[in-house]
Amino acid sequence: MNILRTLTVGLATFVCIVAVSGLVYLLTLNTTIMDRTVVKGWLSESKIYDGKLVEAFVQATGTSDVKSASLQSQGQLAASSDMIEAALSNTFTPQFVQTQTESTIDSAYDWIDGKQATFTFSIPVDQQRNTLIQQLATAIEPQVASLPVCTAALAKAGTACRPSNLTVTQMASQLASTNVASSDLFTAPLTNESFAKYNQATPQSPQSSPLTQLPAVRSGITTALIVLPFLIIASIAIIVGLTPAGRRVQISSRLAIRIFFGLIITFIGALAVSWFVKNNDLGLSSLVNSQSVAIGAVIGPLLQLIVGSIASQLALFSGIACGVSLASWIGLKVWQKKLRTADTLQQPTPTPIQPQTDPATPPTPLQ
């Protein structure tokens, strides 16, 4: 019976320590990655809406044909990449990009939270098509204006020139319209399906994507955040209930110090990462830049912010758990000492044993 009781107490102790650690990590996830408001804050704080996202968007969606295209008109008339990016930035303003990004985030989290059956988004880039043509035309007007008016000799030589029946503005608008039309990106809203098509020659089936498990993961985290506190309370109750009265304080203090040492390394590590990542991105920017400088300029600072924020939250929750467990251990130790002192005082003082002497034997009367 004692062996079974000892094994049960040991198992309950293990469950309690694991449950506390799991609660710390899940609270960290729930207050960072799983919180749409926090994610929106990361994006805003990383300043990705300030023009950098446009270039990364162009690379990610395969619209390099627009970005690097040469404007053709009876010869070669090249628009620099800076001009193209300026036109895109003036078309897709930070306000437009932020609004559409946050709308997509809301749609994603509604799907993850089970509020909608599928994850879908629609960014109305087609509504900005005319604005893009106008901005691109404005950007290339100086180059069009520098062209000579076409003559038979220039046409025969294949020299770039401007037709006499077109004004500078008209020709710039035609060239811009032709180049925008060369990409089908701006002819329809950008959806999750079209985005997958731009990024993959053979789009992956949505059913086979690991992202389809996110709603299940979210549901599991929500359930665990409810179950783990009850599991901690139940395991403590089992430990206290099965431990003999004289050892309850000792066993409880041992549990508290085990929880403390189980999380102190997590606390120190998270605190160190949180402090270090403030001035160093741990090589994240270099890693992403090796794939794409434009994407690295967006993802690098964002990853640095995400890692720092998660580390800070992990340090907060693990620090709280360490503080509570350490305070409990100290309190239980003080209590244990008081109980020992009280037991000592309550023990009766032994009465010294007096030596017994035989009374004097009376004289035997004479016969």
Side-chain angles (χ1 to χ4, degrees), residues 100-300:
Q100 299 304 322
T101 301
E102 292 184 350
S103 176
T104 303
I105 290 173
D106 286 331
S107 179
Y109 277 87
D110 285 343
W111 168 62
I112 292 173
D113 293 339
K115 296 179 180 179
Q116 61 184 39
T118 58
F119 168 50
T120 58
F121 65 86
S122 178
I123 302 176
V125 294
D126 56 320
Q127 297 179 8
Q128 302 296 109
R129 186 175 184 276
N130 292 335
T131 303
L132 177 59
I133 292 174
Q134 180 182 355
Q135 292 294 333
L136 185 57
T138 301
I140 64 177
E141 267 193 27
Q143 290 198 39
V144 174
S146 66
L147 294 176
V149 177
C150 291
T151 63
L154 291 176
K156 184 177 180 180
T159 304
C161 60
R162 174 172 58 85
S164 58
N165 62 333
L166 293 178
T167 65
V168 172
T169 302
Q170 289 173 337
M171 180 176 176
S173 180
Q174 284 187 7
L175 292 173
S177 179
T178 300
N179 278 261
V180 171
S182 65
S183 172
D184 60 355
L185 174 65
F186 306 105
T187 60
L190 179 63
T191 63
N192 46 317
E193 294 178 355
S194 61
F195 191 80
K197 181 184 69 174
Y198 282 117
N199 281 276
Q200 300 181 28
T202 306
Q204 190 177 21
S205 172
Q207 289 74 21
S208 63
S209 173
L211 295 179
T212 58
Q213 303 303 317
L214 286 178
V217 172
R218 176 56 172 165
S219 178
I221 290 176
T222 302
T223 303
L225 287 173
I226 298 174
V227 172
L228 287 179
F230 287 101
L231 197 59
I232 294 170
I233 295 172
S235 60
I236 293 175
I238 292 173
I239 293 170
V240 173
L242 294 181
T243 302
R247 298 190 60 202
R248 286 175 183 170
V249 177
Q250 178 185 359
I251 295 299
S252 298
S253 64
R254 187 180 300 173
L255 172 63
I257 201 63
R258 285 181 177 177
I259 293 175
F260 172 78
F261 281 114
L263 287 173
I264 189 63
I265 296 178
T266 299
F267 170 70
I268 295 174
L271 201 63
V273 171
S274 176
W275 174 82
F276 186 72
V277 82
K278 287 182 179 180
N279 301 313
N280 192 306
D281 64 356
L282 305 176
L284 296 174
S285 294
S286 299
L287 177 62
V288 181
N289 281 336
S290 64
Q291 305 298 322
S292 169
V293 175
I295 296 177
V298 174
I299 301 300

Side-chain angles (χ1 to χ4, degrees), residues 60-132:
T61 54
T63 55
S64 56
D65 55 332
V66 176
K67 182 176 182 299
S68 60
S70 295
L71 307 178
Q72 303 289 334
S73 175
Q74 301 179 27
Q76 299 296 324
L77 178 64
S80 67
S81 59
D82 291 339
M83 293 167 58
I84 303 295
E85 289 176 18
L88 290 169
S89 297
N90 291 332
T91 301
F92 301 101
T93 62
Q95 293 78 13
F96 175 86
V97 174
Q98 182 172 359
T99 299
Q100 299 304 322
T101 301
E102 292 184 350
S103 176
T104 303
I105 290 173
D106 286 331
S107 179
Y109 277 87
D110 285 343
W111 168 62
I112 292 173
D113 293 339
K115 296 179 180 179
Q116 61 184 39
T118 58
F119 168 50
T120 58
F121 65 86
S122 178
I123 302 176
V125 294
D126 56 320
Q127 297 179 8
Q128 302 296 109
R129 186 175 184 276
N130 292 335
T131 303
L132 177 59

